[in-house]
Amino acid sequence: GDSVTQMEGPVTLSEEAFLTINCTYTATGYPSLFWYVQYPGEGLQLLLKATKADDKGSNKGFEATYRKETTSFHLEKGSVQVSDSAVYFCALLPNDYKLSFGAGTTVTVRA
Amino acid sequence: DGGITQSPKYLFRKEGQNVTLSCEQNLNHDAMYWYRQDPGQGLRLIYYSQIVNDFQKGDIAEGYSVSREKKESFPLTVTSAQKNPTAFYLCASSILTTPYGYTFGSGTRLTVV
C-alpha cells in the first residue's frame, strides 16, 4: 500500500544552520504530498504542499520539491530559528483521500 | 473564522469509565477523522467518516466508537474496553475530491487516573 518513510530524529541544530529532513514515498498513481508541523501541545498545521511532479511547495522559508523520479519530497530551510523547533511530518494523499503520515521528525534549534 | 474545535483540551478518565471527546468543524468539509498520538510517536488513524451517517474503522478502532449524525460533528467515545487510553487525540477534516490535505484541531489530551 501507499506509505511514507521519513528521516528519523531527533535533529538538533544551531540557529542559522541549514535544515534538511528526508522523506520518500511509495504510492500507486499520482498522490499529493504535504509537510505538516506540530508545535508542543498543539495540533498539526499544514506547512506546505505539492500536488504534482516537479511542483515546489514553500512557506515560512521552508521548501520541498516533488521528485517523481526519486519518489522524494525532502524538506529544507536555509537558516533555522529557535521558533522552528517542532515535530515535522511528511504525508501523502492518495486517490482514496486517506492521508498517510510518516513517523515524524523532532527538530530542536538551539540559540 | 472557520476551523475545527476540539473540546475539552484536557480530560481525565477513571478506570472503567467511558468518555466522549468533541470535534466540531464549520469548514463545510465532507470528511472527518480521529487520530491518536502517543508520546514521541506518529499518528494512528482510529476512525474516519466521509459522509453523514457513515464511518469506517481505521487502524486502531478497538475500544473506540464514533457517530456522524451531522456534517459538522464527529464525536469520539473512548470506552472502558480501551485498555491504554492515555494519549493525545487529534481530530481533522478535509474536502474530498481536492488535494488540499487535512485541517486539524488543537487536540485533546486524555489521561487515565
Side-chain angles (χ1 to χ4, degrees), chain A residues 32 36 38 43-44 97-99, chain B residues 33 37 88 97 99 102 104-105:
Chain A
S32 296
Y36 283 86
Q38 183 180 34
L44 276 66
Y97 296 96
K98 282 172 57 182
L99 209 56
Chain B
Y33 312 83
Q37 186 177 29
F88 190 51
T97 72
Y102 293 3
F104 281 83

Side-chain angles (χ1 to χ4, degrees), chain A residues 1 4 22 30 34 60 68 71 74 82 94 97 99 108:
Chain A
V4 173
N22 289 342
Y30 304 96
F34 304 82
K60 300 181 181 179
K68 194 171 189 302
T71 61
H74 305 322
V82 171
Y97 296 96
L99 209 56
T108 302

Side-chain angles (χ1 to χ4, degrees), chain A residues 32 34 36 38 41-44 46 49 51 89 93 96-99 101-103, chain B residues 9 33 35 37 42-43 48 50 88 90 96-102 104-106:
Chain A
S32 296
F34 304 82
Y36 283 86
Q38 183 180 34
E42 298 183 10
L44 276 66
L46 179 63
K49 65 175 170 57
T51 58
F89 291 93
L93 187 69
D96 66 358
Y97 296 96
K98 282 172 57 182
L99 209 56
F101 288 93
Chain B
K9 191 169 178 64
Y33 312 83
Y35 288 89
Q37 186 177 29
L43 297 153
Y48 67 100
Q50 296 183 329
F88 190 51
L90 287 161
L96 294 176
T97 72
T98 59
Y100 292 154
Y102 293 3
F104 281 83
S106 57

Side-chain angles (χ1 to χ4, degrees), chain A residues 42-97:
Chain A
E42 298 183 10
L44 276 66
Q45 302 174 23
L46 179 63
L47 182 58
L48 54 83
K49 65 175 170 57
T51 58
K52 61 183 186 295
D54 299 324
D55 267 2
K56 177 186 282 188
S58 61
N59 187 24
K60 300 181 181 179
F62 289 90
E63 292 184 342
T65 301
Y66 189 162
R67 302 282 188 203
K68 194 171 189 302
E69 64 275 14
T70 55
T71 61
S72 66
F73 193 55
H74 305 322
L75 182 68
E76 296 180 337
K77 185 173 185 181
S79 177
V80 294
Q81 305 300 313
V82 171
S83 57
D84 294 324
S85 298
V87 182
Y88 294 83
F89 291 93
C90 186
L92 172 156
L93 187 69
N95 292 336
D96 66 358
Y97 296 96

Side-chain angles (χ1 to χ4, degrees), chain B:
Chain B
D1 288 340
I4 296 184
T5 302
Q6 287 189 243
S7 62
K9 191 169 178 64
Y10 300 96
L11 186 58
F12 298 90
R13 192 194 94 165
K14 294 181 179 178
E15 296 280 353
Q17 198 176 44
N18 291 357
V19 291
T20 297
L21 284 60
S22 171
C23 178
E24 304 276 336
Q25 55 100 357
N26 60 5
L27 300 164
N28 199 33
H29 283 180
D30 309 300
M32 298 186 74
Y33 312 83
W34 275 105
Y35 288 89
R36 170 178 172 143
Q37 186 177 29
D38 292 285
Q41 304 213 2
L43 297 153
R44 293 185 288 171
L45 182 64
I46 305 172
Y47 269 99
Y48 67 100
S49 168
Q50 296 183 329
I51 193 170
V52 174
N53 291 323
D54 187 52
F55 47 83
Q56 307 296 326
K57 292 182 179 180
D59 303 317
I60 56 163
E62 185 174 351
Y64 300 97
S65 66
V66 294
S67 62
R68 185 90 186 275
E69 297 177 1
K70 300 185 300 181
K71 188 176 185 179
E72 302 80 16
S73 179
F74 192 43
L76 174 74
T77 297
V78 183
T79 74
S80 57
Q82 172 50 241
K83 297 307 178 190
N84 185 21
T86 294
F88 190 51
Y89 291 87
L90 287 161
C91 181
S93 69
S94 71
I95 303 172
L96 294 176
T97 72
T98 59
Y100 292 154
Y102 293 3
T103 301
F104 281 83
S106 57
T108 293
R109 186 165 300 281
L110 174 63
T111 304
V112 173
V113 295

